[in-house]
Amino acid sequence: ARGATRSHNADIGVAGRAHQERGVLDHGVRDRHIGGLGCVRERRARLRDTEARDRRTCQTIDERLRGCLEDGGSVWGLVEHSWLLWVVGLGRRRIAAASAAVLFRAFVYELPRYRSSRIPAVNIPVVAQDGAKPAEIQPGGNKAVLTLAGGQRIVLDSAQKGVMATQGGTRVVSLGNGDVAYEGEGGAAAQSGSPLYNNITTPMGGQYRIKLSDSTTVWLNASSSLDFPVAFTGTERRVRVRGEAYFEVAGNARRPFIVEVGDLQIRVLGTSFDVAAYADEPVVKTTLAEGAVQLSARGKLYTLRPGQQAHLNKATGDMGIATANLQEVLAWKKGLFYFDNTGIREIMREVARWYNASVVYETTNTDHMLFSGVVSRYSDVDALLRRLELTSAVHFKIQGNRIIVMN
C-alpha cells in the first residue's frame, strides 16, 4: 500500500510538472488526485486569508503597545489581551512564537538590535506607573520658576490660572497643568526696539512648557532654562537654552529662529527639534524631528535632515552627524525613560535630574553595564532601581536623598 501511495504521489508530481510546462492547469486531474484535501485554489485562498488576518493581528498589537508606551501607562494588562489575539489569530502551532513576540514587545518595544557583539545589553522590564509612595526621593513633575525683566520671580507650579504679569505690553498667562503662554506682540517694547528678556528655569525634578509670543512652543526638561524676549523684534528671533529643550518653531520666513547653546547656534525657519546640552554631559546633541536646521560651530556649518542627530564634542569641538532614534530622544516628552544600550552612568545622570537625587558610586567597574528598556518616568525610584537590579549587573542602596551604585 505504501509503495502504491509513493507511486501515486510521484504520478501527481510528474503530471503537475507536465501541465505546468504546457501552461495548462487541469483542475479535474488535480482535484481527482488531491482527494479529501480539497481544491488547491481553495487552499491558497484560505492561506491568503490567514496571512491577512495574521498581519491585521500583528498590526493591532503593535499599535496598542505603541500607544500605551507613548502614554506612559502600564502594558501588563495589554500583554494578556495581546496573547489572546496572537493565539486566536495564529493558531496553536504558533503559540510559543506568539508569546515570545508579545513579551518582547512589552519589555522592549521596537528597540534597535544591539550593534556590538562584545558587550551584550540587558533588557529592563517595563515598569507600570506606580502610585506615589511616601519616600524622600519622588519622581518629578510640572515645576518651574519664571524670572521677569525687573527681577520678579514667579513660582509657576503654585501660580493661579490667569494673567500673572504684563511685560512691555505682552501678557504672561498661566494656563495650568504645566503651561505658561506669552500673549501679544510686545506693545511698547516692540516699538522701542529694546526687547525685554525673561527667563524660565526648571529645577531638578521639574519640567514645563512655554508658548512664546510668536507661537513657538518650547518643552523644558528637568534642570534646564530658557532666556527669551517677551516680544521678538528686528529681523530674527533669538533665544538661549541650557539643559534640554524641545522646540516646535512657528514658521516665519522673514524672521529665522536662532537657538544659542554655548558656542553652538541652531538656525531654523519653522521646524521641530530637540537640543540636549547639559553641563555634565560630554556632548551637545541636536536632533531634528521635522523640517530643516542649520548648525554653526567654530566657523563651520552643518545641515540636518529629519531623523538625524548632530553630536558636538565639547572637549574637541568635533561634530558628527548620524541617524537618530527619535523614540529614545523624545521619550522624556512622553513621560518615559528610554534606554538603548545606555551606560549606567548616563542612566543615573538622567535619573538624578528627574528624581532630584544625588548619585554616589562605590564601584569603578561600570564600563560593561549597558541597558536597554522603556520605563515610566513616574515610577517610584525604588521600583525603578529594583528592576535594574533584576539584571544582576548592578545593585543599589538608598540613603536619604542619595542613590549608591554598587556591583
Side-chain angles (χ1 to χ4, degrees), residues 99 132 198 266:
S99 61
N198 285 186
I266 306 170

Side-chain angles (χ1 to χ4, degrees), residues 37-244:
L37 294 180
C39 176
V40 169
R41 179 180 298 174
E42 294 176 357
R43 293 183 62 204
R44 289 177 177 172
R46 288 197 299 271
L47 180 60
R48 285 194 297 269
D49 291 342
T50 301
E51 291 175 347
R53 186 172 65 251
D54 289 353
R55 285 193 297 270
R56 290 194 299 270
T57 301
C58 295
Q59 183 178 2
T60 299
I61 294 172
D62 287 345
E63 288 176 351
R64 295 190 181 190
L65 281 171
R66 181 184 294 112
C68 182
L69 290 178
E70 288 180 350
D71 292 339
S74 169
V75 300
W76 292 110
L78 189 57
V79 168
E80 181 179 358
H81 179 64
S82 300
W83 170 286
L84 294 176
L85 284 175
W86 276 83
V87 170
V88 172
L90 303 185
R92 289 177 297 176
R93 290 183 302 173
R94 305 187 193 179
I95 288 179
S99 61
V102 171
L103 290 176
F104 180 80
R105 282 170 168 79
F107 288 152
V108 186
Y109 186 74
E110 289 188 350
L111 287 180
R113 295 181 61 187
Y114 185 44
R115 292 174 290 278
S116 171
S117 59
R118 294 188 301 123
I119 307 175
V122 183
N123 292 331
I124 307 167
V126 174
V127 179
Q129 182 168 324
D130 297 329
K133 298 179 181 179
E136 294 190 44
I137 302 178
Q138 293 288 341
N142 296 325
K143 306 173 187 176
V145 174
L146 181 67
T147 304
L148 305 181
Q152 178 186 357
R153 291 163 57 87
I154 302 175
V155 179
L156 294 177
D157 37 302
S158 61
Q160 298 293 321
K161 288 185 180 181
V163 178
M164 299 181 294
T166 300
Q167 294 277 277
T170 300
R171 297 180 302 280
V172 184
V173 183
S174 173
L175 304 177
N177 298 320
D179 286 287
V180 63
Y182 279 63
E183 299 178 352
E185 288 299 326
Q191 295 175 7
S192 66
S194 302
L196 301 175
Y197 275 84
N198 285 186
N199 169 275
I200 182 171
T201 299
T202 56
M204 293 179 66
Q207 63 181 8
Y208 226 79
R209 180 169 59 182
I210 181 170
K211 184 177 181 180
L212 304 181
S213 61
D214 68 335
S215 296
T216 291
T217 303
V218 185
W219 286 256
L220 287 178
N221 202 351
S223 192
S224 303
S225 69
L226 177 72
D227 298 322
F228 59 96
V230 299
F232 293 101
T233 62
T235 58
E236 64 183 23
R237 298 168 289 169
R238 186 177 292 266
V239 301
R240 184 181 301 109
V241 69
R242 290 175 291 276
E244 183 168 16

Side-chain angles (χ1 to χ4, degrees), residues 1-13 33:
R2 290 193 184 95
T5 300
R6 285 195 296 270
S7 176
H8 182 65
N9 291 340
D11 291 342
I12 294 176
H33 287 294

